[in-house]
Amino acid sequence: MISVVIPCYNASKFVETAINSIFEQTTKLDFEIIIVDDGSSDNLIEVVSKYDNLKYIKQKNGGVSKARNTGILNSFFEYVIFLDADDRFNKNLFCELKKRIEDGYDLISWGYLVEKNGSVSDYTNYRIENSEFVGDEFIKLFLSKTVYQCICSFCVKKSVLIQNNITFDVGYKYSEDINFQIEVMSNSHKIKYINKPMFVYTITGTSATSIVSSERIRSISLFDKTREKISENLHDSFDQYVGMNYLYRIGLVIKCENKSCELFESLISTSHVLKRPRLSLSNKRKFVMTVAKTSLPIIKFWFKISKLKYRNRS
């Protein structure tokens, strides 16, 4: 019934928590766990070998996107779920999924919790009850952040992925999961949202979301590809989403302790995303406030760099 894909890279110290959250489900379903070892150098294979219903695949290090693609290709059951090695499912997830799977939904999404530095944030829309959506309708909710979904908070039919050739873009380390999710939503005709937090997402100092790099800033260009694959009637909503995402990246750079010319050059090279969005009034206010807060530090930084370059030339 369910294939759970867990990409791992040197995850032997914490992957057991993720695996145990599957075996400790209160409702029993047919499932398999696919551990894709992305070139680990630790004792991962020793840790996972003691579990049943587990398929272990070792591959040369190629990144999390390649590992997830490998998991999809080697999955056996009708539905696919992704779980990161340092995260965990709510013990009642399978209970919530059972009826929805029997009803034949293409995509089943649910709320989730985020743990960071000892605090917990809830990304669940409790106001949505027993609602069924089609692809474009659900994408609008996602883009407007009426509904939050991350890579480990949904279950999708494998046939949706295979028939529409949906894979993770291995050329990117960031934003590829959002691109993948929107493609999945766009090709799902019957979608169910569970308004309960069924997944716990843990952010640590080594999480990809905590890293600020020029590669992460430039990854916003991946959304250009995403835009081409969605309906035209979603373009305005999508452009607003990308525009606000760009402003978030500006904030990351400003807060970064180790600023560099490369980071700011990455912002400039991807600034084209701000040309498209027709910002709503609330987003215009956010835009003005973000620019006001960030412009002065940027100007000061570039002024210092210019002075250094001038001195070096002298």
Side-chain angles (χ1 to χ4, degrees):
M1 190 170 279
I2 299 175
S3 296
V4 184
V5 177
I6 307 180
C8 294
Y9 178 72
N10 292 339
S12 60
K13 292 182 179 179
F14 42 79
V15 71
E16 285 184 276
T17 300
I19 295 173
N20 289 337
S21 74
I22 301 169
F23 281 102
E24 293 170 359
Q25 291 292 308
T26 56
T27 299
K28 302 302 179 184
L29 294 177
D30 290 333
F31 72 90
E32 66 173 351
I33 300 173
I34 304 173
I35 298 289
V36 183
D37 185 343
D38 190 41
S40 298
S41 57
D42 62 1
N43 64 329
L44 178 64
I45 189 171
E46 296 174 18
V47 173
V48 303
S49 61
K50 62 185 179 183
Y51 291 96
D52 297 324
N53 288 8
L54 190 146
K55 186 185 296 181
Y56 175 83
I57 302 171
K58 178 88 171 184
Q59 67 177 28
K60 183 179 179 181
N61 181 253
V64 67
S65 292
K66 185 177 179 181
R68 287 174 178 151
N69 288 339
T70 297
I72 294 169
L73 289 174
N74 287 275
S75 60
F76 173 77
F77 286 111
E78 182 183 5
Y79 284 85
V80 176
I81 307 179
F82 302 100
L83 179 62
D84 288 343
D86 53 352
D87 301 324
R88 63 189 185 275
F89 290 139
N90 182 298
K91 65 181 181 180
N92 295 313
L93 175 61
F94 283 10
C95 177
E96 296 291 336
L97 288 180
K98 186 176 181 181
K99 186 180 185 305
R100 279 80 176 191
I101 287 176
E102 290 172 350
D103 289 340
Y105 286 98
D106 297 319
L107 172 65
I108 306 164
S109 179
W110 52 83
Y112 61 95
L113 304 176
V114 174
E115 290 184 350
K116 182 179 180 180
N117 299 327
S119 63
V120 179
S121 302
D122 193 340
Y123 289 80
T124 307
N125 190 330
Y126 294 95
R127 292 171 296 176
I128 298 178
E129 294 185 22
N130 299 318
S131 298
E132 184 176 309
F133 304 95
V134 292
D136 285 3
E137 185 181 11
F138 195 73
I139 291 175
K140 280 189 176 181
L141 294 176
F142 175 77
L143 295 175
S144 65
K145 297 188 177 181
T146 302
V147 165
Y148 288 90
Q149 179 180 285
C150 67
I151 198 62
C152 302
S153 69
F154 69 92
C155 177
V156 62
K157 277 186 176 179
K158 182 179 178 179
S159 59
V160 171
L161 305 179
I162 301 301
Q163 291 171 11
N164 297 288
N165 195 30
I166 301 173
T167 60
F168 290 90
D169 193 321
V170 297
Y172 292 82
K173 290 184 179 179
Y174 305 95
S175 301
E176 83 293 339
D177 55 338
I178 297 175
N179 178 66
F180 181 90
Q181 290 176 74
I182 292 177
E183 277 199 69
V184 167
M185 294 174 195
S186 181
N187 289 282
S188 296
H189 305 295
K190 189 178 179 183
I191 302 173
K192 187 72 174 180
Y193 178 74
I194 301 172
N195 64 343
K196 298 177 183 179
M198 292 286 106
F199 164 71
V200 181
Y201 175 30
T202 305
I203 297 179
T204 64
T206 57
S207 297
T209 52
S210 67
I211 298 170
V212 182
S213 65
S214 59
E215 187 176 13
R216 182 177 181 184
I217 302 302
R218 288 195 176 97
S219 68
I220 200 168
S221 61
L222 178 58
F223 291 135
D224 293 338
K225 294 182 181 180
T226 311
R227 193 178 192 269
E228 296 173 359
K229 297 178 181 179
I230 60 175
S231 305
E232 282 191 23
N233 66 327
L234 291 172
H235 282 181
D236 282 351
S237 297
F238 184 76
D239 292 342
Q240 287 195 38
Y241 175 84
V242 176
M244 296 309 296
N245 209 292
Y246 179 81
L247 297 182
Y248 171 72
R249 282 165 164 76
I250 291 179
L252 288 177
V253 172
I254 297 305
K255 293 176 183 177
C256 181
E257 294 181 1
N258 300 314
K259 297 179 181 66
S260 66
C261 286
E262 191 177 7
L263 283 177
F264 286 103
E265 286 169 356
S266 299
L267 285 174
I268 293 170
S269 68
T270 54
S271 60
H272 67 279
V273 299
L274 286 178
K275 296 178 182 178
R276 287 196 294 250
R278 301 173 185 177
L279 296 177
S280 64
L281 181 59
S282 61
N283 281 347
K284 282 180 180 177
R285 288 171 181 163
K286 290 179 184 177
F287 177 83
V288 171
M289 289 178 67
T290 302
V291 171
K293 289 178 181 179
T294 59
S295 292
L296 185 58
I298 291 175
I299 292 170
K300 285 182 176 179
F301 180 83
W302 278 108
F303 182 70
K304 287 180 181 179
I305 294 298
S306 298
K307 285 178 69 176
L308 287 172
K309 287 181 177 178
Y310 179 77
R311 286 175 185 172
N312 291 335
R313 286 174 184 172
S314 304

